[in-house]
Amino acid sequence: MARIGNIDLGEFPLLLAPMEDVSDPPFRAVCKENGADLMYTEFISSEGLIRDAIKSRQKLDIFDYERPIGIQIFGGDEDAMAMSAKIVDATNPDLLDINFGCPVKKVVCKGAGAAVLKDLDLMVRLTKACIRSTSLPVTIKTRLGWDHDSRNIEEVVERMQDIGVQAISIHGRTRMQLYKGDADWTLIGKIKNNPRIHIPIFGNGDIDTPEKALEYRNRYGVDGIMIGRAAIGYPWIFREIKHYMATGEILPPPTIAERLGACRKHLQGSVMWKGEKLGILEMRRHYASYLKGLSHVKEFRTRLVSTDSLNHIEDIFGEIARQYAEMQPA
C-alpha cells in the first residue's frame, strides 16, 4: 500500500505527471475521471510566485474533486523556494512537490530543474528550505542524473530520504537525453530494491500501454507508475492499465462518442477556467491527440484549430460523430 504522509494511494497508484502547458485543471479533470490516483499541477516558478506573476498564481488553482493533488514548484534559490512553499501551504493541496527533473533550457539556465542534479548539496539546501516552510508532505520528481557519466540518482534518493522527503518520482532518462531514446528503468529498480530505502518510489518514462505497465511493475518493483505524454489526448490509459492489472484483459479502445465526450469536457473546462478566447486557443494543441488514429481526419483537425467560435467547434464535433459513428478508433 503506497502512502505519502497521511495520503493513502492504494495498492499500486497511477500518477499523472506534471506537464507544462498540459496539466491544467481541465486536463486533470478528464484524467481523474478515467482513473488517475494522484495528480500534480503544472510546475510553478518560485520566482514567479513571489513576484505575484498572474500565470504562476493561476497555476495554484486546485479543486476538491481532484484530490489527492500536489502542487509542484521549481527554483534555484533557497529563500525563494522557502517563501513559495509557504504560499503553496496556504492554498491547502495534499502535498508539495519539487521539480528537480525538468530538462528544458530556460529552466536549466536558471540553475533550476534538472540543473540541480549537478549540485546535490544545493538540492539538499533547497529541499530543506521547503520542508521547513510547509506542513505538507514534500516529494520530489527528478531524473537519473545530468548525463550518462553522472547518473547519481542513488545518492539523490538516499540524501532526499534522509532529510525528510516522503516520496520520489524518477524519470528514467538523464537531463542530456531530454525525451530521446528509451527510458532506462534499471536504476529505478535498483533503488526500489535497496533495503535502506523505505519511502515510495514511482517510476516514470515510456509507459504507454497496459502491458508495459504490468511488465515494469513486476520487473522493477516500483510502488506506482507516473504517466505523462501517453495521457495527452488519451486519458483512458489510466482505466486501461487498472483493468488489465486486475483482469489480464485489454479493454476495447474508446469509441468515437467517448473521444468526443472527453474532448468536449476538456474544452468546456478550458473555457470556464481561462475564458472563452484563451480557452479555445489553448485547446487547439489537444485536438490532434484526441483524434489520433482516425483515417482522413486532417480536414476536421484543420477546421478545429482555425475557428474561434464555440458553436462552430460543436458543429464540427457533430460532423465527426456522424462520419465516424460506425468506426472504431485504430
Side-chain angles (χ1 to χ4, degrees):
M1 194 69 70
R3 294 182 65 87
I4 302 176
N6 294 323
I7 308 168
D8 183 354
L9 296 175
E11 184 176 347
F12 191 80
L14 302 180
L15 289 64
L16 174 64
M19 294 176 282
E20 176 70 356
D21 293 328
V22 175
S23 300
D24 58 15
F27 176 72
R28 297 197 304 262
V30 294
C31 290
K32 184 70 174 182
E33 188 174 74
N34 283 281
D37 295 301
L38 174 62
M39 305 186 295
Y40 301 84
T41 62
E42 301 171 79
F43 69 177
I44 304 171
S45 163
S46 56
E47 300 286 351
L49 275 183
I50 293 170
R51 291 196 311 270
D52 200 22
I54 293 174
K55 186 173 182 180
S56 294
R57 289 279 178 161
Q58 188 181 33
K59 290 179 182 178
L60 291 172
D61 288 352
I62 56 175
F63 303 90
D64 283 340
Y65 65 80
E66 300 183 284
R67 295 187 185 277
I69 186 166
I71 290 177
Q72 189 187 75
I73 62 174
F74 73 95
D77 177 81
E78 291 174 59
D79 291 337
M81 290 291 278
M83 189 172 297
S84 294
K86 291 178 181 178
I87 295 170
V88 168
D89 194 88
T91 67
N92 195 33
D94 297 285
L95 60 87
L96 168 66
D97 191 73
I98 306 173
N99 185 311
F100 289 136
C102 180
V104 301
K105 187 174 181 180
K106 68 178 182 179
V107 172
V108 169
C109 286
K110 296 179 181 178
V116 185
L117 284 163
K118 296 190 290 184
D119 187 346
L120 298 196
D121 289 338
L122 173 61
M123 183 183 288
V124 167
R125 293 196 303 272
L126 293 171
T127 306
K128 280 184 173 180
C130 291
I131 291 173
R132 286 194 300 264
S133 302
T134 182
S135 59
L136 299 166
V138 173
T139 63
I140 70 168
K141 184 175 188 292
T142 188
R143 288 183 168 232
L144 300 180
W146 178 256
D147 57 25
H148 182 79
D149 296 325
S150 58
R151 298 195 301 172
N152 54 356
I153 187 61
E154 292 178 84
E155 183 182 356
V156 166
V157 173
E158 290 192 357
R159 293 185 71 174
M160 291 295 99
Q161 177 181 270
D162 288 349
I163 62 173
V165 167
Q166 298 195 35
I168 298 179
S169 300
I170 305 169
H171 182 94
R173 291 181 175 86
T174 65
R175 185 272 164 179
M176 295 303 290
Q177 285 181 274
L178 301 176
Y179 295 97
K180 299 174 184 176
D182 295 329
D184 180 0
W185 282 56
T186 54
L187 275 176
I188 301 175
K190 186 176 180 182
I191 289 163
K192 181 55 200 171
N193 290 298
N194 180 345
R196 188 167 176 268
I197 302 303
H198 57 78
I199 60 175
I201 301 297
F202 304 120
N204 173 229
D206 294 353
I207 299 298
D208 54 9
T209 66
E211 297 96 325
K212 187 179 286 187
L214 180 61
E215 176 190 351
Y216 279 36
R217 183 191 73 174
N218 293 340
R219 182 187 300 179
Y220 300 108
V222 290
D223 296 288
I225 286 174
M226 177 177 280
I227 297 168
R229 290 172 291 169
I232 299 175
Y234 203 85
W236 304 278
I237 186 72
F238 298 100
R239 77 175 187 188
E240 290 179 0
I241 290 173
K242 287 185 172 183
H243 185 82
Y244 185 71
M245 287 185 172
T247 68
E249 300 174 352
I250 297 292
L251 283 173
T255 64
I256 298 301
E258 287 178 306
R259 286 194 183 206
L260 291 175
C263 189
R264 183 180 287 111
K265 180 173 181 175
H266 192 163
L267 171 63
Q268 291 169 346
S270 185
V271 169
M272 287 179 63
W273 188 58
K274 302 172 184 177
E276 184 168 327
K277 183 177 180 180
L278 185 58
I280 290 174
L281 179 65
E282 295 199 352
M283 188 64 193
R284 290 176 178 175
R285 65 171 66 100
H286 294 282
Y287 293 129
S289 297
Y290 278 112
L291 301 176
K292 184 178 180 180
L294 298 179
S295 60
H296 309 296
V297 78
K298 183 178 180 180
E299 178 195 345
F300 290 118
R301 194 171 63 237
T302 300
R303 289 166 60 195
L304 284 169
V305 301
S306 303
T307 181
D308 296 321
S309 166
L310 277 176
N311 289 335
H312 191 197
I313 292 171
E314 190 56 47
D315 289 342
I316 298 170
F317 284 168
E319 290 182 50
I320 294 171
R322 288 188 293 274
Q323 176 157 326
Y324 295 93
E326 302 303 321
M327 298 176 57
Q328 283 296 313

